[in-house]
Amino acid sequence: RRLEGDGVFDRALGLADDVTSLPPADLLRAILSAPADLLWNGGIGTYVKATHESHADAGDKANDAIRVNGAELRVKVVGEGGNLGLTQGGRIEFARAGGHLNTDFIDNSAGVDTSDREVNIKILLDRVVAAGDLTGKQRNELLASMTDEVAALVLRDNDQQNRALANAAANAPSLLHVHERWMRRLEGDGVFDRALEGLPDRAEVRRRLEAGDGLSLPELSVLMSWTKIVLAEELLDSDLPDDPYLRGLLYSYFPTPMRHRFRAQMDAHPLRREIVVTEVVNRLVNTAGMTFWPRLADETGADPAELARASFVADEIFGASALRAEIETYDNKLDAAVQTRMRIELRTLVERAARWLVLRRSERDAEGVVDFFGVRIQQVLAGEPGLAGLLSGRELAAYEQRRDALLAGDVPLDLAERIAVLPPSYALLTVVETAAAVGLEAETVARVHFALGERLGLSSLLSRILGLPRSDRWETTARAALRDDLHGVHALLTAQALAVSSDDDPAPVRVAAWEETQPEVVARAASTLEEVCAEEPDLARLSVGMRVVRGLVSVPGAGGDAG
């Protein structure tokens, strides 16, 4: 009575001052639509639908009297501890009104993960017991001792899946055309029915494209789940689960007390391939995103196994896992949007590197590729003066702008510097390749590479290429082709500059020596590129700029055949 007299209930439920009593059903509806941070559903029943849905659509007659519409929810976040607490239409309506929620199968995924791990652990330990290497009592004691670590492994999977959805939501408007193409393919293959899954039809997608909208989190949750299912089926039919390079994923799936003691039994596990595929799919989709596979398959013609392997190799070459883990340590310390921006910057580098590796189709195995590129690239990134110390002019200014933006978001200086240097880090793949071909240190080649790029304004050209629209598959493919062409030609020009200059000279002098082989042609090219980059980017203008750069490769007297 005292709380009622103080108006606490009225304020908590957002009721009008003159409301003194409510029928039970209205009170429950008021609780559901109360202004609060979180609505947690942990019970049985469907309590939220969409405005356009009838109560019959919810399929829960017992709660018809208290059910509310998604647009009526006044909470910031909905957490689904139970199943079917909201219809998919209700979720989407709430999300499109500015609310934050996933779906029940995403929020409850830890339960399924726990069951899978429990079964797989017990299969292994039961085989150990049957072989006489462990008693039943020892098995039970070991199981009990691993409870907390199993919970931590499960929660980490759940956490990473939510990070993946946050990344997807950040890019949802710009990638809607990709999501649409992927939905069409899945629907065409008979994987799902859009209407049954609550995904927008083609007319709705066109409307959202025109409005600059994307898929909502509940819709992204559905598409991500089907992506994982289909990708797992594809990878199980490939040789990827048997690749020795990925064997560590099998071992890390199990708790620490089992990893060294029962490694042989893990290799002989009857579900070994399925475990490896589950880990590959989760890590690939959670870090590279749900569109990585379909987009790059279209662009490169590579199969899912090739793309997955290339992504893992690229991730290791650039030390992305460690950097990703470091970003996670700032949870609840930095703005989540800033963390998402850093993760996407890292993801972009790994994706471009994976694409480069797939198109190269090296004869080395995965470990060989990592050994060749990883050490050399890390020497440039982590050594003195570091990659940032090799930049100048426009490239340096762009790096400083990215770094300062992160510092403004309270990112520590060291981390801000390492994130800000990621975009030009992609060039180190061709730098390392060129260095090995000419017998020079990667740092030496990198200095010439960036000095030559500054002389011609290639960083400005790249920036304009990256600014091209990607509203459909063909614009995206054309943009990627221009970007790849520019990086390839830049590498060839660097090789030319190295060939016509002295190893004892600093990078600017070596670039000047290259320019002196055809000063008028180089000066004219630099002037043309400056003019091209001075205007708003369009494909025709940038194609001309690319032709100008490509023409420099065959300049007579500039070092012979650099190709």
Side-chain angles (χ1 to χ4, degrees), residues 331-350:
D331 285 356
N332 303 314
K333 299 175 184 176
L334 294 176
D335 187 324
V338 174
Q339 288 180 286
T340 297
R341 191 163 79 241
M342 289 192 287
R343 286 197 303 269
I344 290 175
E345 196 76 79
L346 181 57
R347 187 177 78 177
T348 299
L349 169 62
V350 172

Side-chain angles (χ1 to χ4, degrees), residues 231 234-247 249 273 276-277 279-281 283-285 287-288 292-293 296 302-317 350-351 353-359 361-370:
L231 181 57
E234 294 273 356
L235 294 181
L236 269 175
D237 290 336
S238 74
D239 64 350
L240 187 76
D242 306 307
D243 191 331
Y245 177 69
L246 299 174
R247 192 172 294 141
L249 294 179
R273 299 182 90 254
V276 171
V277 165
E279 290 294 279
V280 168
V281 168
R283 297 195 185 196
L284 181 66
V285 175
T287 58
F292 169 83
W293 163 40
L296 268 70
D303 61 43
E306 288 179 288
L307 292 169
R309 190 178 285 111
S311 181
F312 277 81
V313 168
D315 198 282
E316 189 165 351
I317 285 173
V350 172
E351 178 182 306
R355 188 179 188 279
W356 187 88
L357 291 168
V358 163
L359 292 174
R361 286 183 166 82
S362 171
E363 295 181 0
R364 299 182 179 92
D365 60 14
E367 291 185 4
V369 174
V370 171

Side-chain angles (χ1 to χ4, degrees), residues 478-497:
R479 174 181 177 274
L482 276 179
R483 185 189 68 225
D484 291 347
D485 199 10
L486 177 58
H487 282 295
V489 172
H490 193 166
L492 292 175
L493 294 177
T494 299
Q496 286 186 178

Side-chain angles (χ1 to χ4, degrees), residues 243-262:
D243 191 331
Y245 177 69
L246 299 174
R247 192 172 294 141
L249 294 179
L250 172 66
Y251 304 145
S252 64
Y253 174 86
F254 293 93
T256 305
M258 299 178 64
R259 289 178 190 168
H260 300 296
R261 188 177 178 186
F262 303 119

